[in-house]
Amino acid sequence: MDAIPQRYLRQLAAVFDPCCRDKGISVVDMGLVHSVSVEGRHARVELLLTSGWCPFAAAVLGEVRDRMEALPEVDSAEVEVVWHTPWTTDRLSDSARARLRFLPDPVAVGDRDQYVTTHRRGGLP
């Protein structure tokens, strides 16, 4: 896969998966943009989904299409979900990874059992 031009990534950084909008994590930060190509005045975007059962897929695909069609050099755009490349957390940007982390880095926890005992709801073992 060729590198995606930054101007397209900046354009798509305004599209949010509804599950991550409140955290400010875009489809770009999630690593959902697999490829972007523009031939003539037609754009083609390939997206990955975190799950094949994503109830928001249609809305996200429509927003991606609209954002690409808002570019002055693009008259039309198509967006396709690709299944040949699975989405994994390795695709998260560093900022998305930090915003999604709700537990400390495992390296920072010396004694896992003690940590779990101390941080259980209400402090109860």
Side-chain angles (χ1 to χ4, degrees):
M1 176 177 69
D2 295 330
I4 300 170
Q6 286 298 309
R7 71 181 176 280
Y8 301 141
L9 292 177
R10 281 191 301 273
Q11 186 73 359
L12 296 176
V15 178
F16 297 90
D17 180 310
C19 294
C20 294
R21 184 181 307 275
D22 64 327
K23 293 183 177 7
I25 301 172
S26 73
V27 295
V28 173
D29 289 326
M30 288 291 295
L32 300 180
V33 182
H34 185 262
S35 70
V36 177
S37 61
V38 177
E39 293 184 25
R41 298 188 57 82
H42 181 75
R44 184 170 189 280
V45 180
E46 292 182 331
L47 290 182
L48 304 175
L49 297 178
T50 57
S51 164
W53 298 100
C54 177
F56 305 113
V60 171
L61 272 62
E63 285 187 54
V64 167
R65 184 197 63 239
D66 293 347
R67 291 294 299 171
M68 290 303 294
E69 289 178 348
L71 289 166
E73 70 269 25
V74 173
D75 288 334
S76 63
E78 66 181 294
V79 184
E80 180 182 349
V81 174
V82 294
W83 302 105
H84 57 76
T85 302
W87 181 87
T88 66
T89 57
D90 295 340
R91 297 182 64 88
L92 290 168
S93 69
D94 290 341
S95 64
R97 188 177 316 282
R99 284 180 265 171
L100 290 172
R101 181 177 289 281
F102 59 92
L103 294 174
D105 189 327
V107 174
V109 177
D111 182 340
R112 178 198 170 279
D113 293 332
Q114 178 62 40
Y115 181 87
V116 170
T117 300
T118 304
H119 293 87
R120 281 200 178 151
R121 187 186 333 255
L124 301 174

